[in-house]
Amino acid sequence: MTGRAARLLGPVVAGALLLAAAACSPSGGHDDSRSAEPSRSASAAPRAPASAPPLPPPVSRRPSPRTSPPTSAGSPAPAPGGRWRPRPGLAWQWQLSGTVDTTVDVPVYDIDGFENGAGVVARLHGDGRKVVCYVNAGAWESFRPDAGDFPAALLGRGDGWDGERWLDIRALDRLRPLMASRLDMCRAKGFDAVEPDLLDGYAETTGFPLTAADQLAYNRMIAGLAHDRGLAVGLKNDLGQVPELVGDFDFSVDEQCAQYDECGRLAPFIAAGKPVFHVEYELEPSRFCPAAKKAGFSSMRKHLSLDAWRDPC
């Protein structure tokens, strides 16, 4: 992911983030991440306040691995042609750490695909919910069961998380079967959609000379693999390529666009009748919810760890 929130920028920044999160946590829901987003191993690094020099954008990733019916107003529409096609305004839960709390009364859940079995997905379906499968599409993870299937030549620099390294996304022919296998897993477990993380490596220091064209080709390959399996697919962050990719993806997953004053770049999704599932980590809901609601986003505040806690707009 090239999202900010999910990745650690190093031990020092990580410690600072934890302290900051504890200090600003407001009072106030995956069985088991933003490169401007968090992913499953951790959370994204917030930007520095305007009065201080800006921090480099955080990399998307989730927190580190560990082993009642929805409201009628937010119920997902059935998917014409067999694939779920979500619409703007759906409330959601994003939980990538800890045992998934299946009691959150929302129509959409986004949970880790490897850490959760078909039973969790079936339980959520039984409550009328759609379920999104989180997988890492942009980086290799040493702790995944398929880690040994990735050629060493495709592993680049660390992405800020222990045991993770950027992938050389130019190698479409070698990565296609590996990613297809991950999406087969999502389909076999009964997921309705997939959230492929780290889809903006071209904007990061990966160890490979990736270009925007390389990223577009890779992201479209991932979207095509998902659609071929009857899965909806979300574009994770990668705001710089929204105009080119909005037609290929069914929704967006974004971290901290309000904090970084970037939410306007996601407007093409709403204009196309596709939802923007959005989280903030540092801002109080009163600072982003009014604008998010006006824009038609599905927004909430989450802990950087992406545990079950949520404070929705």
Side-chain angles (χ1 to χ4, degrees), residues 154 168-178 218 221:
L154 301 188
D168 186 352
I169 60 169
R170 298 171 299 173
L172 298 182
D173 289 345
R174 285 183 284 178
L175 288 174
R176 182 180 289 107
L178 297 170
Y218 185 71
M221 182 192 80

Side-chain angles (χ1 to χ4, degrees), residues 269-282:
F269 274 95
I270 300 297
K274 302 176 180 182
V276 173
F277 296 117
H278 160 237
V279 299
E280 293 292 331
Y281 302 104
E282 301 300 318

Side-chain angles (χ1 to χ4, degrees), residues 4-312:
R4 313 176 171 87
R7 293 199 188 197
L8 296 176
L9 299 180
V12 174
V13 174
L17 288 178
L18 291 174
L19 291 174
C24 69
S25 178
S27 55
H30 183 136
D31 201 44
D32 32 290
S33 69
R34 167 154 121 93
S35 65
E37 20 171 342
S39 57
R40 142 181 233 224
S41 352
S43 324
R47 290 186 182 174
S51 59
L55 291 174
V59 185
S60 114
R61 293 252 39 201
R62 346 170 228 177
S64 47
R66 318 167 183 185
T67 54
S68 80
T71 57
S72 57
S75 57
R83 186 174 87 235
W84 178 44
R85 298 176 189 272
R87 309 295 295 176
L90 292 174
W92 70 307
Q93 165 65 321
W94 194 17
Q95 186 180 347
L96 298 180
S97 68
T99 300
V100 174
D101 177 1
T102 61
T103 68
V104 180
D105 188 15
V106 294
V108 180
Y109 264 70
D110 188 338
I111 62 177
D112 186 273
F114 280 103
E115 300 294 330
N116 292 282
V120 175
V121 179
R123 194 176 315 140
L124 290 168
H125 280 165
D127 289 332
R129 290 156 188 159
K130 295 295 185 181
V131 194
V132 181
C133 182
Y134 172 95
V135 295
N136 192 334
W140 172 81
E141 300 161 305
S142 63
F143 47 86
R144 297 303 192 185
D146 62 355
D149 298 336
F150 288 77
L154 301 188
L155 310 186
R157 294 188 179 185
D159 65 3
W161 296 88
D162 290 343
E164 297 186 22
R165 296 167 64 181
W166 287 104
L167 290 170
D168 186 352
I169 60 169
R170 298 171 299 173
L172 298 182
D173 289 345
R174 285 183 284 178
L175 288 174
R176 182 180 289 107
L178 297 170
M179 293 301 151
S181 178
R182 289 188 166 190
L183 299 188
D184 285 342
M185 172 193 70
C186 294
R187 178 177 59 179
K189 290 182 177 181
F191 283 94
D192 303 286
V194 60
E195 179 211 333
D197 203 1
L198 293 179
L199 289 184
D200 52 3
Y202 80 104
E204 304 293 334
T205 304
T206 64
F208 304 113
L210 305 181
T211 66
D214 294 328
Q215 194 70 60
L216 286 174
Y218 185 71
N219 291 1
R220 285 176 173 143
M221 182 192 80
I222 295 293
L225 290 173
H227 288 161
D228 287 347
R229 286 154 179 77
L231 298 168
V233 61
L235 180 64
K236 181 71 168 288
N237 298 319
D238 195 12
L239 299 182
Q241 297 186 321
V242 166
E244 293 86 356
L245 292 173
V246 65
D248 299 280
F249 288 80
D250 303 294
F251 57 92
S252 169
V253 177
D254 178 81
E255 300 164 285
Q256 298 173 282
C257 72
Q259 182 170 343
Y260 295 107
D261 195 20
E262 298 170 335
C263 293
R265 302 175 76 179
L266 292 161
F269 274 95
I270 300 297
K274 302 176 180 182
V276 173
F277 296 117
H278 160 237
V279 299
E280 293 292 331
Y281 302 104
E282 301 300 318
L283 299 181
E284 294 289 343
S286 60
R287 294 183 58 190
F288 66 88
C289 282
K293 288 180 177 179
K294 184 176 181 179
F297 290 6
S298 301
S299 301
M300 60 184 169
R301 188 178 181 189
K302 292 285 294 182
H303 292 150
L304 287 172
S305 61
L306 291 177
D307 55 12
W309 180 87
R310 65 194 290 274
D311 191 1

